[in-house]
Amino acid sequence: MFNFLLSIHWDIKPEIFHIGGFGLRYYTLCFMLAFFLSYVIMLSIFKKEGKTQELLDKLTIYVFIGTVLGARLGHCLFYEFDYYRHHLLEMILPIRMVNGTISFTGYQGLASHGGALGIIIATLLFCKKTKTNFWWVIDRLAIVAALSGAFVRTGNFFNSEIIGKPSDLPWSVVFVQVDNVPRHPAQLYEAIGYVLIFLFLYYSYRKGKYVKPALLLGYFLILVFGLRFFVEFIKENQETFENSMTFNMGQLLSIPFVIVGFYLVFRKTSPTPPINVQKTTNHN
């Protein structure tokens, strides 16, 4: 029997405030904080390794667009394809059309696997445009991507979405906006895990004397998507079609990322020069 009285009751409205036609949601705030802190950390890395802030500014634009488009398309293709294949305009624009009436809804469906692919593609395009080494950039992006994931899952917690399965643990949470059932705070499990992964990756970067290309990316893929795979066992499925599946969509999409991660970590390659030096040649 669920220990309802001892559970944490979470009844926070998703919006912080709403004035006229504008509203600010906790999820949006978490998303912005993720990019801000990622930028600050990446700036310190760029300065340490002799790269310019101008180069980082260009990278930030590419990554932002890649994240949003990739996450959006990932959700539409992986989770709600049956709907969006008949509503292609809604797949790209943050709108919903009902009986000829258009309403602004924002991007209410974003998939982390699509976001990861979007970042990789955006980074490839950025590196081709600026003639910057792809592995150098993606390894450092992996560090802050883990931290960003923690903020995104915190935003999901505020939204009372991506909830966990019923639980009688003392830290169970009743998401009042959903139902009155004590559940695993699965979003926080992932958020805490991502923070720990970020600390591990940042420590590895700071202390590493010789790190082969894509090693940090490999660690990121194994740890982040490995964690995602196992946490899915205590999460409610996001779509009804997943109920008949042995592994849900989030787990199936995580497996290829983990496999690629193991390949990047254990492949044989020559190490790069030290990454903890104070300054290197600028290759802008």
Side-chain angles (χ1 to χ4, degrees), residues 46-51 136 273-275 277-283:
F46 267 52
K47 287 184 176 180
K48 176 183 176 181
E49 300 199 43
K51 304 294 183 180
W136 185 92
I275 62 174
V277 295
Q278 293 301 311
K279 189 171 184 180
T280 60
T281 304
N282 193 329
H283 296 289

Side-chain angles (χ1 to χ4, degrees), residues 28-282:
T28 303
L29 180 61
C30 288
F31 198 81
M32 292 189 297
L33 283 173
F35 265 92
F36 172 74
L37 290 179
S38 296
Y39 182 88
V40 171
I41 295 170
M42 286 292 288
L43 182 59
S44 68
I45 292 174
F46 267 52
K47 287 184 176 180
K48 176 183 176 181
E49 300 199 43
K51 304 294 183 180
T52 67
Q53 185 172 354
E54 180 184 5
L55 186 68
L56 176 59
D57 291 341
K58 293 178 181 178
L59 174 63
T60 301
I61 295 174
Y62 275 81
V63 171
F64 180 82
I65 295 175
T67 301
V68 174
L69 287 182
R72 177 58 175 171
L73 291 175
H75 172 81
C76 296
L77 296 176
F78 300 147
Y79 290 96
E80 292 190 79
F81 180 69
D82 283 344
Y83 173 82
Y84 284 104
R85 64 175 176 167
H86 301 297
H87 303 82
L88 295 179
L89 187 61
E90 295 177 29
M91 184 183 297
I92 303 298
L93 301 177
I95 62 173
R96 179 57 59 95
M97 300 178 63
V98 179
N99 297 325
T101 302
I102 300 177
S103 59
F104 179 81
T105 60
Y107 289 126
Q108 297 182 357
L110 299 173
S112 58
H113 298 89
L117 289 174
I119 291 174
I120 292 173
I121 294 172
T123 303
L124 283 169
L125 295 174
F126 164 80
C127 291
K128 182 178 180 181
K129 178 70 174 179
T130 60
K131 295 180 174 56
T132 308
N133 183 277
F134 171 76
W135 297 117
W136 185 92
V137 176
I138 202 70
D139 263 339
R140 284 139 188 83
L141 280 177
I143 299 173
V144 295
L147 181 62
S148 298
F151 278 95
V152 170
R153 282 295 177 255
T154 302
N156 294 141
F157 183 78
F158 274 101
N159 275 358
S160 296
E161 60 188 4
I162 312 183
I163 58 177
K165 292 181 177 179
S167 168
D168 57 1
L169 293 171
W171 56 81
S172 299
V173 175
V174 176
F175 294 98
V176 179
Q177 301 288 327
V178 179
D179 54 30
N180 290 316
V181 178
R183 298 176 177 277
H184 285 286
Q187 314 97 321
L188 298 185
Y189 294 165
E190 282 193 74
I192 294 171
Y194 294 156
V195 169
L196 294 177
I197 293 170
F198 158 73
L199 293 175
F200 167 74
L201 292 175
Y202 191 63
Y203 177 83
S204 300
Y205 166 77
R206 295 285 297 182
K207 298 299 182 180
K209 293 183 178 180
Y210 288 93
V211 178
K212 64 182 180 181
L215 181 63
L216 295 179
L217 175 62
Y219 286 151
F220 170 85
L221 294 176
I222 294 171
L223 295 173
V224 167
F225 292 103
L227 173 65
R228 172 72 184 272
F229 181 88
F230 288 107
V231 173
E232 288 294 324
F233 284 114
I234 56 172
K235 288 164 60 176
E236 295 285 7
N237 291 326
Q238 297 185 49
E239 301 295 335
T240 55
F241 74 84
E242 297 177 286
N243 294 336
S244 61
M245 301 166 63
T246 303
F247 298 115
N248 65 24
M249 182 61 71
Q251 291 173 310
L252 293 178
L253 292 173
S254 294
I255 293 173
F257 285 95
V258 174
I259 293 174
V260 172
F262 274 108
Y263 167 75
L264 294 176
V265 169
F266 293 104
R267 67 174 181 154
K268 293 183 179 180
T269 183
S270 300
T272 60
I275 62 174
N276 60 345
V277 295
Q278 293 301 311
K279 189 171 184 180
T280 60
T281 304
N282 193 329

